[in-house]
Amino acid sequence: MRKSLDYRPEIDGLRAVAVFSVIFYHSSVLIFEKKFLPGGFIGVDIFFVISGYLITKLISNEYKHTKNFSFLNFYSRRIRRILPALLFVIIATFPFIYFKTPPIFIIDYLKSIISINLFVSNIFFWKLGFGYDQLQNVQFQPFLHAWTLSLEEQFYLIFPIIYFFIFKKLNKYLLILITIGFLFSLFLSDYASYAHPAINFYVLPTRAWEFLVGSIIFLLEPKKKFFNKFIGSFFISIGIIFIIISILYFDDKMYLPSILTLVPVLGTSFIIYFKHDDNYFIKILQSKLSTGIGKISYSLYLWHFPIFIIYPDLNFIFQIIIIFFLSVFSYFLIEKNFRYKIKSNFFSIKTIFITNFIIILFMFHFLNSSKNIKYENYPEIFHQILEKKIDFNNKRDLNSEQIFSQNQKENLHIVGDSHMRVLWRSLKNDERVKNKFNLINQTYIPRGCYYAYDFYKIDFFSRKKADICTLDDQRKRRDNFISKKNTTVIIGGRLPVYLYSSPDQKISRYFDKKNKKFFNIVFKNENNLKLEEGIRNSINDLLENNVKVILIYPVPILDFFPHKKLFDLYISDKDNFHLNLKANPLTSSYSEFLEYAKQSHNLLDSINHPNLIKIYTHELFCDKISDTCKTHDANDIFYIDDDHLSKFGNEKIVNQIFNELNKK
């Protein structure tokens, strides 16, 4: 094996720090009932800085010594570095995952593997519609961590072309142009951290600045001679402190990446830039243990998450032993051979491409066959999970031509957000509704539009008006409600969120964490009327105009996805699944929900009228004595995620609506 004359062992030491941080972050290890190393995800930021530094150094040094740069050789080295071990882990884990996983999870798993092999998994995981902090807890994704590899591959594809062009044609402005790119990406990331947090986490334009920091510190290395060892040691110590602070005090509820991410990024940069061999911290990073772990860090990164997913109940020590054993094995058998046996016929680029192509073909084959799996082989409670999630593409009310039917049935409007949209789906399939009402869907999604006359929605951070739930939209709603006699309006939605998310609220996206009750799209009134008063006035206005109103009280929310929890329970002990479920049903705290919904309940309780019907949703699912709210019964799950009811959950509400209507 050829060892580079420019080898820097402390960088392998940094890789060891990075991979251990990520492993502990993804693990189930708790200290005082809190996640150990809650900011361990910043390990990927450390990797990005290292990658930017090394790639810039490689391109620059090759051109310096040869007066040329071979893109073919560069991409060949990157392929040999990244793909063989990745493909090996995918193949090795596939049987364990495919044959023990229910179809509802298999389909997205197979799609994720295809996206990984096509280097677009970061886009795929973003498109699933969840932030990273949610996705790792709500879906079965053994290769979720591979989003970073797709991001790096995209960087390796684009950056060398841009950098080499500037290096040759605009060398005088090289540092300036790279710095401009860094600043643009950084400020874009900072803006997107609150405006578009999901895409901000996954995509290259908002992550490029972390790689470019590595480029900048390489370009500044000639200036290093102006700093003595004392100054160097000072900044190395600062770098260590920055990384430790990030690992211990950051968490996945923060608005990241943003300017705050400069803390671990600068920490890594200080260590790389100011390194000198006499420094105590550098000696630790250069130790055989640190560099040994650093050398297998890529394999450790690849193996750790699938092992955590496949064996979630295994003791952490045993998980680590398995991860280390497999990582050492794949490093020596796969990584080293493909990287350094350049002339081998087997350990070749051709083998890599053929294997990658075959995996993609197999994934498409299994994806197609998964559509025909007999779901009867699985417990009945899983069958209804196959119900497709609600369509969040509907953004407008029905046209007025559709609202006024020519028949003599009563108009039944349903108004609100996605909570009301899933209720509408159950209502439209109910024979009692079909026989008596013209059901009119007036739900606005995404992000909901609770009925509040003379209120409109704005973006909390930008203060710009939203393109849905406008003042005109709300007024048209009222006109539709009162224009025909014998009209009933069902009103509901995530009222606790709307009341909590005030335009006057003080939120620092750098120091406050993401709050499940806070939406950045908030309600505003031109006369600065509080939303609480606006909702009360709007409902009373309808009642006074002889409109019957059915108020749907807020749905109890969860801090987990029932189907994911049930799946975890199923794969851990299939034979005793029903017994375990009966003994330990999945529930949430009733008292915590009541505290969460207290303001909403007080508001709705204060409204009274003969034409008003109230549906106390929480009473349908929750029990005061046990202080629990049910998420399922023996055969059906009442939720499709952590706050939207399934058709079975909504059927309870529909039945209660008709019970109350029959009393009138």
Side-chain angles (χ1 to χ4, degrees):
M1 181 186 78
R2 178 179 61 83
K3 191 170 182 176
S4 171
L5 295 175
D6 294 326
Y7 173 66
R8 292 186 54 174
E10 73 283 349
I11 288 182
D12 271 334
L14 276 172
R15 286 184 173 130
V17 172
V19 77
F20 262 117
S21 299
V22 174
I23 288 173
F24 274 102
Y25 167 72
H26 283 143
S27 76
S28 57
V29 176
L30 302 176
I31 302 294
F32 301 114
E33 299 185 354
K34 292 185 178 181
K35 182 187 283 287
F36 183 55
L37 304 187
F41 58 85
I42 64 96
V44 300
D45 304 287
I46 296 174
F47 281 129
F48 292 160
V49 176
I50 292 172
S51 294
Y53 172 80
L54 292 177
I55 293 306
T56 307
K57 183 176 183 177
L58 187 153
I59 297 171
S60 301
N61 286 354
E62 182 174 330
Y63 185 79
K64 179 180 178 182
H65 292 113
T66 66
K67 301 303 178 185
N68 196 13
F69 177 72
S70 172
F71 286 96
L72 183 63
N73 287 340
F74 172 81
Y75 291 125
S76 174
R77 288 194 296 268
R78 291 303 93 202
I79 290 170
R80 287 178 174 275
R81 175 75 176 92
I82 294 174
L83 280 181
L86 173 62
L87 299 180
F88 178 70
V89 175
I90 289 173
I91 293 169
T93 56
F94 181 79
F96 296 92
I97 295 169
Y98 185 81
F99 294 108
K100 69 185 296 187
T101 306
I104 187 65
F105 296 103
I106 275 293
I107 292 173
D108 277 342
Y109 160 68
L110 296 171
K111 289 179 179 178
S112 76
I113 298 301
I114 294 170
S115 72
I116 289 167
N117 288 50
L118 296 175
F119 316 138
V120 291
S121 63
N122 55 329
I123 306 299
F124 171 78
F125 290 125
W126 162 55
K127 284 289 190 178
L128 286 179
F130 299 97
Y132 184 80
D133 58 309
Q134 295 175 294
L135 193 55
Q136 59 187 321
N137 294 318
V138 303
Q139 290 205 355
F140 183 81
Q141 293 292 350
F143 285 89
L144 174 60
H145 62 317
W147 73 270
T148 63
L149 306 182
S150 292
L151 192 73
E152 290 207 31
E153 288 157 349
Q154 292 158 16
F155 176 77
Y156 295 151
L157 183 65
I158 298 170
F159 176 75
I161 299 171
I162 298 173
Y163 181 81
F164 188 67
F165 173 80
I166 299 173
F167 190 86
K168 284 197 69 176
K169 303 295 184 181
L170 301 166
N171 190 271
K172 181 179 178 181
Y173 305 103
L174 180 60
L175 179 59
I176 294 174
L177 292 174
I178 294 295
T179 303
I180 289 172
F182 154 74
L183 291 172
F184 176 81
S185 176
L186 172 62
F187 289 124
L188 178 64
S189 173
D190 192 60
Y191 163 75
S193 66
Y194 62 86
H196 306 285
I199 191 172
N200 178 57
F201 187 88
Y202 287 111
V203 298
L204 184 59
T206 56
R207 287 284 190 173
W209 67 272
E210 299 181 70
F211 295 93
L212 295 179
V213 168
S215 302
I216 291 169
I217 59 177
F218 170 77
L219 296 174
L220 289 175
E221 279 193 336
K223 308 290 185 182
K224 185 179 175 182
K225 60 186 178 182
F226 298 113
F227 302 101
N228 59 36
K229 288 185 178 180
F230 175 80
I231 294 176
S233 292
F234 172 78
F235 277 102
I236 290 169
S237 299
I238 294 296
I240 295 292
I241 291 170
F242 278 7
I243 290 175
I244 291 174
I245 288 173
S246 302
I247 292 172
L248 294 180
Y249 295 105
F250 280 22
D251 68 38
D252 52 24
K253 300 302 179 188
M254 299 171 71
Y255 293 91
L256 299 173
S258 68
I259 284 178
L260 272 182
T261 313
L262 278 171
V263 177
V265 167
L266 288 178
T268 306
S269 304
F270 289 161
I271 294 169
I272 295 174
Y273 185 78
F274 290 101
K275 163 261 177 182
H276 64 84
D277 294 337
D278 295 330
N279 182 270
Y280 176 75
F281 294 116
I282 296 297
K283 287 181 179 179
I284 294 175
L285 292 174
Q286 291 178 340
S287 68
K288 288 186 177 180
L289 178 62
S290 296
T291 56
I293 294 172
K295 288 180 188 299
I296 65 169
S297 61
Y298 180 53
S299 283
L300 286 169
Y301 185 80
L302 289 176
W303 280 108
H304 84 278
F305 203 62
I307 295 301
F308 286 159
I309 293 291
I310 295 171
Y311 301 110
D313 298 321
L314 195 63
N315 182 278
F316 177 68
I317 300 299
F318 291 115
Q319 288 176 328
I320 288 295
I321 291 172
I322 294 172
I323 291 166
F324 259 89
F325 174 79
L326 293 172
S327 298
V328 170
F329 179 81
S330 61
Y331 173 72
F332 285 102
L333 180 68
I334 305 297
E335 281 195 69
K336 289 185 70 173
N337 284 328
F338 274 96
R339 286 181 69 184
Y340 300 114
K341 291 186 177 180
I342 306 297
K343 297 182 180 180
S344 168
N345 289 327
F346 179 76
F347 299 107
S348 64
I349 292 292
K350 183 194 295 185
T351 301
I352 297 171
F353 276 113
I354 290 174
T355 305
N356 193 47
F357 181 70
I358 291 173
I359 289 175
I360 292 174
L361 285 181
F362 266 88
M363 293 304 115
F364 274 113
H365 166 72
F366 283 108
L367 190 60
N368 185 60
S369 62
S370 294
K371 297 175 182 177
N372 301 314
I373 289 178
K374 293 182 179 180
Y375 301 117
E376 294 79 14
N377 296 334
Y378 298 91
E380 185 177 345
I381 197 167
F382 284 118
H383 296 179
Q384 71 95 20
I385 300 175
L386 303 174
E387 175 190 11
K388 291 185 178 179
K389 191 167 171 51
I390 54 174
D391 175 16
F392 285 103
N393 293 319
N394 176 53
K395 295 184 180 180
R396 290 289 172 191
D397 285 350
L398 298 180
N399 295 328
S400 58
E401 289 83 5
Q402 296 174 281
I403 288 175
F404 302 108
S405 175
Q406 297 299 315
N407 59 42
Q408 299 302 310
K409 294 180 182 178
E410 296 180 29
N411 278 346
L412 176 62
H413 299 260
I414 181 166
V415 57
D417 53 20
S418 55
H419 283 203
M420 292 300 97
R421 182 161 176 81
V422 290
L423 178 59
W424 164 74
R425 291 178 63 191
S426 292
L427 285 166
K428 74 172 184 175
N429 293 319
D430 190 285
E431 290 299 324
R432 293 167 294 184
V433 175
K434 293 178 182 179
N435 293 332
K436 186 175 181 180
F437 296 105
N438 301 310
L439 180 62
I440 302 158
N441 175 20
Q442 292 201 302
T443 57
Y444 280 66
I445 45 180
R447 303 201 181 194
C449 188
Y450 206 91
Y451 177 62
Y453 183 70
D454 275 346
F455 278 76
Y456 57 93
K457 301 192 87 171
I458 65 168
D459 184 281
F460 178 85
F461 293 106
S462 71
R463 319 309 286 183
K464 293 180 179 178
K465 291 183 178 181
D467 60 353
I468 60 169
C469 203
T470 64
L471 204 58
D472 188 53
D473 291 333
Q474 295 280 34
R475 289 171 178 173
K476 283 182 179 178
R477 279 175 157 179
R478 180 182 183 275
D479 293 341
N480 290 333
F481 298 157
I482 66 175
S483 60
K484 184 180 178 181
K485 293 181 179 180
N486 296 322
T487 292
T488 301
V489 179
I490 299 174
I491 298 175
R494 297 184 66 178
L495 188 54
V497 170
Y498 305 135
L499 294 180
Y500 180 85
S501 305
S502 163
D504 301 321
Q505 191 170 356
K506 303 297 181 183
I507 288 183
S508 168
R509 55 192 173 88
Y510 298 123
F511 300 104
D512 290 330
K513 297 177 182 179
K514 297 173 186 174
N515 188 323
K516 196 167 185 177
K517 285 179 68 174
F518 176 73
F519 273 4
N520 65 309
I521 305 297
V522 299
F523 284 92
K524 184 175 175 60
N525 173 266
E526 293 290 357
N527 298 318
N528 294 319
L529 190 68
K530 287 188 176 182
L531 179 61
E532 187 172 357
E533 194 62 30
I535 290 173
R536 183 184 290 110
N537 292 344
S538 300
I539 294 172
N540 282 327
D541 168 64
L542 294 180
L543 294 168
E544 289 167 4
N545 279 279
N546 296 317
V547 175
K548 299 171 188 172
V549 176
I550 300 174
L551 286 181
I552 308 295
Y553 275 58
V555 172
I557 63 166
L558 315 173
D559 59 2
F560 59 90
F561 277 39
H563 64 271
K564 176 62 167 60
K565 288 273 190 181
L566 288 167
F567 167 68
D568 290 342
L569 183 65
Y570 176 68
I571 63 171
S572 66
D573 188 358
K574 292 182 180 179
D575 294 335
N576 297 305
F577 173 70
H578 289 292
L579 289 175
N580 293 334
L581 188 60
K582 186 175 181 180
N584 299 290
L586 301 181
T587 61
S588 62
S589 169
Y590 189 20
S591 57
E592 288 182 9
F593 169 71
L594 290 176
E595 182 62 31
Y596 164 83
K598 184 177 180 180
Q599 185 181 7
S600 302
H601 286 183
N602 289 341
L603 167 59
L604 300 182
D605 288 345
S606 69
I607 306 171
N608 293 287
H609 193 277
N611 283 339
L612 179 64
I613 291 175
K614 297 179 181 180
I615 305 298
Y616 302 100
T617 309
H618 50 288
E619 294 183 358
L620 301 176
F621 300 95
C622 305
D623 176 65
K624 284 185 178 180
I625 297 175
S626 63
D627 190 33
T628 58
C629 295
K630 296 185 295 183
T631 65
H632 62 86
D633 58 22
N635 298 315
D636 301 316
I637 305 176
F638 300 143
Y639 289 79
I640 56 176
D641 52 28
D642 59 345
D643 64 354
H644 292 91
L645 294 176
S646 69
K647 64 179 180 181
F648 300 104
N650 278 304
E651 281 173 3
K652 288 179 172 289
I653 295 179
V654 174
N655 289 333
Q656 188 62 24
I657 287 173
F658 277 95
N659 288 340
E660 295 298 324
L661 286 173
N662 291 335
K663 293 177 183 178
K664 293 291 183 177

